Amino acid sequence: EAAVTQSPRNKVTVTGGNVTLSCRQTNSHNYMYWYRQDTGHGLRLIHYSYGAGNLQIGDVPDGYKATRTTQEDFFLLLELASPSQTSLYFCASSAPGGVTLYFGAGTRLSVL
Amino acid sequence: QQQVRQSPQSLTVWEGETAILNCSYEDSTFNYFPWYQQFPGEGPALLISISSVSDKKEDGRFTIFFNKREKKLSLHITDSQPGDSATYFCAASAHNNNAPRFGAGTKLTVKP
């Protein structure tokens, strides 16, 4: 069964709306990541975490907050969504050292 | 700016031909280079990887060639099959910063 589960799979919101994307992993991994995927840009790192309560800033953090509540759960928060945040979002987990990332199936977000 | 660059953006080959996908990077601290394969509607999955101490890594029909001096890699897919049609991402990470950075991807189409 899927070891990295993202929810929801699809989300539509309006400009200025609040959105929370959820990710749960059952790999017993310490590291978790949020990426966004856009045509022409590939996967860009938003935020990542080394463990519960830890947060690291990625390369495209503006407009995003993240919280790592437990080893299993990592959330991405968009408090004032904008159309530029329309994208496909992926969560991933890895063991320390980040040798192999295990990705979820993605959440497609549309901000109207 | 993109820390990892890939070319071409898209590539079409005939079944049985060799597909060559290119990747380059700037950051000399990068020392681990995984390639991920992504099918439509799915998250990326690790295909093959190489560390900077090697100049070649082979796994069946997939081979990575690595030139540390030029900061370039290439993924060769020999005897390409229609089932290899996917998007391929080159990624890079450093031992002191485990969050991998990804290129923009190469969309490979293998025609039967």
Side-chain angles (χ1 to χ4, degrees):
Chain A
E1 71 273 15
V4 180
T5 303
Q6 294 184 235
S7 62
R9 292 296 313 277
N10 294 280
K11 177 73 177 178
V12 179
T13 190
V14 295
T15 300
N18 281 347
V19 177
T20 298
L21 307 185
S22 302
C23 179
R24 166 164 284 197
Q25 57 97 2
T26 57
N27 296 320
S28 299
H29 286 160
N30 289 337
Y31 294 5
M32 295 185 75
Y33 313 81
W34 278 107
Y35 290 90
R36 60 178 289 175
Q37 182 176 0
D38 304 285
T39 302
H41 294 280
L43 292 153
R44 291 182 289 176
L45 182 66
I46 305 172
H47 291 297
Y48 58 108
S49 168
Y50 294 145
N54 176 269
L55 287 173
Q56 303 292 320
I57 297 173
D59 298 328
V60 290
D62 292 349
Y64 301 97
K65 293 184 179 179
T67 61
R68 181 83 179 272
T69 54
T70 66
Q71 185 184 39
E72 294 78 19
D73 297 304
F74 196 26
F75 300 93
L76 187 66
L77 293 74
L78 293 72
E79 294 185 331
L80 287 172
S82 71
S84 65
Q85 294 176 306
T86 293
S87 187
L88 179 59
Y89 290 87
F90 284 103
C91 174
S93 72
S94 74
V99 174
T100 301
L101 266 61
Y102 295 86
F103 284 85
T107 294
R108 186 167 295 280
L109 174 66
S110 295
V111 183
L112 304 178
Chain B
Q1 68 279 18
Q2 203 88 29
Q3 298 185 43
V4 177
R5 289 184 292 275
Q6 289 187 246
S7 64
Q9 187 173 3
S10 63
L11 176 66
T12 299
V13 300
W14 293 102
E15 183 175 357
E17 292 185 334
T18 296
I20 300 176
L21 289 65
N22 301 303
C23 179
S24 65
Y25 63 97
E26 292 295 327
D27 190 338
S28 59
T29 66
F30 287 149
N31 62 354
Y32 176 70
F33 305 91
W35 286 81
Y36 285 80
Q37 181 187 54
Q38 183 183 34
F39 296 106
E42 299 180 6
L46 180 68
L47 177 67
I48 186 172
S49 62
I50 192 168
S51 71
S52 59
V53 299
S54 302
D55 56 14
K56 181 181 177 181
K57 177 74 173 292
E58 194 169 354
D59 184 357
R61 298 185 293 107
F62 301 90
T63 302
I64 300 174
F65 294 92
F66 177 58
N67 185 322
K68 187 174 183 177
R69 182 179 61 84
E70 294 188 6
K71 297 180 183 174
K72 291 182 177 179
L73 308 89
S74 60
L75 174 67
H76 292 225
I77 306 174
T78 58
D79 188 25
S80 296
Q81 301 297 308
D84 296 331
S85 296
T87 299
Y88 292 81
F89 291 102
C90 173
S93 61
H95 75 277
N96 60 345
N97 184 342
N98 299 307
R101 267 64 176 182
F102 287 75
T106 294
K107 184 177 182 180
L108 174 67
T109 302
V110 181
K111 291 189 172 181

